[in-house]
């Protein structure tokens, strides 16, 4: 990938999109974490009255983007309005993207081997859960807290599958990479977890020579979950004949305790959220309209609650310290 392509991406997505969509509200919250003020928005559909526990979905923005862009790109509020779940949109801090560090810092997520930063975003997510759960205005189901995002936000969702699987039930990544170094030298999964990956074959923003190949993330998680090594494949209906793309679903069956591992390969697709929104001037490639990523992600999350959200995992701050010192956290 040419550097100018990524530069266009980073500069374009700084443009702020519409701040609120859907029939609900977007209260904004601040948290003080390690001396820094962190922000998140919570989408609360109109029908939410707190009388029953609703699922909570984290939706993380891409590198160089923000909360309002992610609201518009994913259009997940349209699904939440009818499916009855809350959406939390956290705001990332400045990170340095390792492959193109000479571009400087951009809003993103601290994922080892992807970005360079000192703040602990895993702790940030955990404290958001605590903050929402303790708020008497909301009633969240602790067995149905999930994470998704696009690009760097999708990569961070994978990182949460490693680091916060005691609280996160399942994860879905849209155009979010996972590096070989992360899984071989930095992290071991604490538990088996259901994983969903959606990726375009013509993605202009991911340096394909640097991350796992297209099926890499799902093949890895299929192995962790004891799924069949060869997935079933289904060509989905080409509903939009004008979007110059099609979709094949690869389903890794036979997984441990009915866990799921799925790959949606968007043939001809770009660095976009299928069925959502993109600005054509961003030059992020083709937007597929044969499927709706937000609807597919919700259906996946709905089938994959947390088996035991109170299992303890190692302290993330301690693991960060070990990683910074170059200690092998795999225990070898």
């Amino acid at each position: 990938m040419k550097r100018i392509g990524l530069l266009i991406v980073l500069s374009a997505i700084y443009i702020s999109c519409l701040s609120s969509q859907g029939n609900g509200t977007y209260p904004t919250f601040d948290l003080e974490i390690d001396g820094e003020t962190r922000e998140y928005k919570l989408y609360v559909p109109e029908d939410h009255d707190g009388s029953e526990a609703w699922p909570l979905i984290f939706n993380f923005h891409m590198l160089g983007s923000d909360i309002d862009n992610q609201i518009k790109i994913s259009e997940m509020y349209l699904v939440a309005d009818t499916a009855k779940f809350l959406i939390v949109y956290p705001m990332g801090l400045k990170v340095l993207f390792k492959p193109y560090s000479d571009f400087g810092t951009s809003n993103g997520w601290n994922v080892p081997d992807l970005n360079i930063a000192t703040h602990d975003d895993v702790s940030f997510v955990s404290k958001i859960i605590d903050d929402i759960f303790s708020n008497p205005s909301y009633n969240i189901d602790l067995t149905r807290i999930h994470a998704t995002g696009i690009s760097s936000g999708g990569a961070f969702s994978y990182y949460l599958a490693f680091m916060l699987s005691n609280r996160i039930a399942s994860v879905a990544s849209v155009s979010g990479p996972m590096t070989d170094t992360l899984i071989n030298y930095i992290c071991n999964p604490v538990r088996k977890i259901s994983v969903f990956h959606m990726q375009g074959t013509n993605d202009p923003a991911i340096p394909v020579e640097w991350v796992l190949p297209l099926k890499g993330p799902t093949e890895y998680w299929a192995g962790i979950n004891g799924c069949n090594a060869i997935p079933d494949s289904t060509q989905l209906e080409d509903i939009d004949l004008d979007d110059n793309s099609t979709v094949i679903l690869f389903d890794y069956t036979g997984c441990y305790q009915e866990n799921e591992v799925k790959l949606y390969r968007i043939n001809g697709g770009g660095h976009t959220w299928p069925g959502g929104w993109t600005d054509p001037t961003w030059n992020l490639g083709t937007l597929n309209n044969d499927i709706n990523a937000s609807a597919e992600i919700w259906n996946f999350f709905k089938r994959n609650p947390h088996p035991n959200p109170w299992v303890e995992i190692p302290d993330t701050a301690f693991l960060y310290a070990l990683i910074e010192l170059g200690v092998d956290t795999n225990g070898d």
Side-chain angles (χ1 to χ4, degrees):
M1 184 189 75
K2 295 181 179 179
R3 293 192 176 193
I4 187 64
L6 183 60
L7 182 60
I8 291 172
V9 171
L10 295 178
S11 61
I13 59 181
Y14 272 116
I15 301 170
S16 180
C17 296
L18 299 182
S19 61
S20 62
Q21 308 264 339
N23 65 20
T25 60
Y26 287 86
T28 301
F29 301 90
D30 290 333
L31 287 175
E32 290 294 325
I33 300 178
D34 296 329
E36 292 189 88
T37 300
R38 304 299 302 268
E39 176 188 349
Y40 71 90
K41 283 186 179 180
L42 183 68
Y43 181 63
V44 185
E46 186 178 40
D47 291 342
H48 180 270
D49 60 10
S51 61
E52 59 179 315
W54 281 23
L56 177 69
I57 295 180
F58 280 84
N59 195 338
F60 299 102
H61 63 73
M62 68 173 75
L63 183 70
S65 188
D66 57 29
I67 292 171
D68 292 340
N69 269 317
Q70 188 60 15
I71 291 170
K72 187 170 184 180
I73 288 169
S74 62
E75 297 183 341
M76 187 169 275
Y77 55 85
L78 295 174
V79 182
D81 283 344
T82 56
K84 297 185 177 182
F85 59 86
L86 305 175
I87 312 171
V88 56
Y89 299 91
M91 183 65 204
L93 295 179
K94 298 297 184 182
V95 299
L96 195 65
F97 185 47
K98 288 183 67 175
Y100 304 106
S101 57
D102 54 327
F103 285 170
T105 59
S106 304
N107 298 329
W109 308 102
N110 189 1
V111 181
D113 197 41
L114 182 69
N115 298 317
I116 301 172
T118 58
H119 55 274
D120 186 348
D121 282 324
V122 176
S123 178
F124 177 39
V125 169
S126 188
K127 290 180 180 180
I128 289 175
I129 296 172
D130 293 339
D131 196 45
I132 296 174
F133 183 69
S134 66
N135 192 319
S137 299
Y138 312 113
N139 182 5
I140 60 172
D141 184 345
L142 292 179
T143 68
R144 296 182 177 275
I145 300 173
H146 310 271
T148 188
I150 185 170
S151 190
S152 179
F156 182 55
S157 297
Y158 276 138
Y159 191 47
L160 291 176
F162 287 105
M163 302 297 289
L164 204 64
S165 63
N166 66 324
R167 310 197 78 177
I168 301 296
S170 51
V171 301
S173 174
V174 179
S175 299
M178 192 170 74
T179 66
D180 179 74
T181 303
L182 180 69
I183 63 177
N184 284 318
Y185 300 102
I186 296 178
C187 287
N188 270 330
V190 176
R191 71 171 177 89
K192 298 171 174 62
I193 186 171
S194 292
V195 166
F196 170 118
H197 189 78
M198 188 172 283
Q199 183 75 50
T201 60
N202 292 347
D203 190 325
I206 298 297
V208 293
E209 75 283 357
W210 174 70
V211 299
L212 294 182
L214 184 61
K215 285 187 179 180
T218 45
E219 287 181 346
Y220 169 77
W221 289 107
I224 294 298
N225 281 285
C227 312
N228 296 329
I230 300 176
D232 296 338
S233 62
T234 304
Q235 177 75 54
L236 303 187
E237 183 180 358
D238 188 8
I239 296 173
D240 187 343
L241 300 178
D242 297 323
D243 66 4
N244 299 312
S245 60
T246 58
V247 183
I248 297 180
L249 168 61
F250 295 92
D251 187 4
Y252 294 81
T253 59
C255 304
Y256 173 83
Q257 290 189 346
E258 299 184 349
N259 279 4
E260 294 185 66
V261 177
K262 295 182 182 296
L263 165 66
Y264 287 76
R265 189 181 75 192
I266 315 300
N267 299 317
H271 198 68
T272 53
W273 189 283
W277 177 86
T278 189
D279 187 327
T281 65
W282 292 355
N283 298 314
L284 294 179
T286 295
L287 173 67
N288 177 272
N289 288 307
D290 297 321
I291 58 173
N292 184 295
S294 291
E296 297 293 337
I297 289 169
W298 163 245
N299 288 329
F300 174 80
F301 286 161
K302 184 169 58 176
R303 296 191 302 268
N304 290 282
H306 202 299
N308 183 3
W310 297 276
V311 173
E312 292 296 326
I313 63 172
D315 177 73
T316 58
F318 177 67
L319 288 178
Y320 268 113
L322 292 180
I323 291 168
E324 289 296 319
L325 291 171
V327 176
D328 181 2
T329 58
N330 286 324
D332 297 331

